Amino acid sequence: MEYSPLVLVVEDDPPIRRFIVAGLTSQGYRVVDVDCAKSALSHAASHVPDVIILDLGLPDRDGIEVIRELREWTRPPIIVVSARGQERTKVNALDAGADDYLTKPFGVAELLARVRVALRHLARMSNGNLETGEFRVGGLVVDLNSHTVTLDGTRVHLTPTEYRMVMVLVRNAGKVVTHQMLLSEVWGPGLTDETQYVRVFMANLRRKLEPDPARPRLLLTEVGVGYRLMDE
Ligand code: CA
């Protein structure tokens, strides 16, 4: 029998928890569900989940603290669940080590899409093909060995900074990358408030990589949070 990934669901609101569990089990995922931070930490250790879905508003502890504690010893993708309008909280969660987020209310299709992205990312990490090989989506090919980028077969010239930015996005393909993550990975630590650098370089990248830069299909904006390079 094919391996069925295990998802740990941490959510204290019973209707939302039942909705998430039903959505996941309908697709064949194995699910363990808990309703507080304490159980989340103990089940993460005892069950070794492939993906963790974590509500940030838990009764016993702040979700950001839970992420930091998990990240001290475990690497499975963490998808946080937050309320609409809490951009700052989402950004803090991502910078603390979460991989992606769902904003309430969300539909089952969105939930399943996020889980698939997380599992693809996990597979790429364990195959080691994030450092070598090729990343392809649509007509875009990023060759990680030769550091070349082609679009519909035509070589695209990128500046070194643009290429570093593409690499950060490719390593996190499908997932959201915060402004802060891009700044520190591309420009190094210390430029914490210079998010306009990121905007300027993203505009340049879109001009080079998007057929219609005003309506991006590859390099999507996550409002108030960062960017997402689509991976399918
Ligand atoms: Ca909650």
Side-chain angles (χ1 to χ4, degrees):
M1 194 179 137
E2 208 180 312
Y3 177 72
S4 154
L6 176 66
V7 184
L8 173 60
V9 176
V10 188
E11 167 65 78
D12 62 317
D13 188 332
I16 300 178
R17 191 171 65 242
R18 280 196 294 273
F19 164 77
I20 294 175
V21 170
L24 292 169
T25 49
S26 76
Q27 298 299 304
Y29 293 109
R30 292 177 297 139
V31 180
V32 175
D33 61 298
V34 298
D35 62 1
C36 66
K38 189 168 179 283
S39 305
L41 291 163
S42 67
H43 281 71
S46 59
H47 287 76
V48 197
D50 297 291
V51 177
I52 299 172
I53 297 179
L54 176 72
D55 175 30
L56 288 177
L58 293 171
D60 54 341
R61 272 181 77 183
D62 178 38
I64 308 277
E65 271 180 43
V66 177
I67 296 166
R68 290 210 183 94
E69 189 160 332
L70 285 169
R71 281 294 175 250
E72 284 174 13
W73 56 274
T74 188
R75 283 310 310 167
I78 299 172
I79 303 168
V80 298
V81 176
S82 69
R84 192 171 293 284
Q86 293 186 318
E87 263 71 27
R88 195 62 240 163
T89 311
K90 280 189 274 196
V91 170
N92 289 342
L94 294 163
D95 287 337
D99 295 77
D100 213 333
Y101 61 81
L102 285 158
T103 305
K104 292 176 188 174
F106 52 85
V108 70
E110 196 183 352
L111 165 71
L112 296 171
R114 292 284 171 270
V115 171
R116 283 196 303 272
V117 165
L119 289 168
R120 279 201 299 274
H121 183 72
L122 202 61
R124 280 194 210 107
M125 297 280 279
S126 53
N127 294 339
N129 60 358
L130 281 167
E131 303 304 329
T132 57
E134 271 182 0
F135 173 81
R136 286 174 178 268
V137 62
L140 176 70
V141 180
V142 180
D143 186 319
L144 304 169
N145 289 313
S146 62
H147 296 197
T148 54
V149 175
T150 56
L151 185 63
D152 299 325
T154 304
R155 174 81 183 265
V156 181
H157 176 75
L158 298 183
T159 67
T161 303
E162 288 167 351
Y163 185 76
R164 280 202 296 277
M165 200 152 151
V166 166
M167 279 304 302
V168 176
L169 292 160
V170 163
R171 261 188 241 122
N172 294 283
K175 302 195 308 175
V176 65
V177 179
T178 65
H179 296 116
Q180 188 53 53
M181 286 156 73
L182 280 165
L183 270 173
S184 61
E185 299 262 336
V186 176
W187 283 272
L191 290 173
T192 49
D193 295 318
E194 311 292 335
T195 53
Q196 76 271 21
Y197 285 21
V198 177
R199 290 197 180 84
V200 167
F201 277 85
M202 181 56 68
N204 290 342
L205 273 183
R206 281 176 172 154
R207 270 195 292 278
K208 293 182 179 183
L209 302 180
E210 292 278 359
D212 181 356
R215 289 179 193 75
R217 288 183 307 182
L218 290 177
L219 298 160
L220 304 190
T221 296
E222 296 281 328
V223 177
V225 179
Y227 300 97
R228 187 189 298 274
L229 171 63
M230 299 308 283
D231 69 339
E232 65 172 7

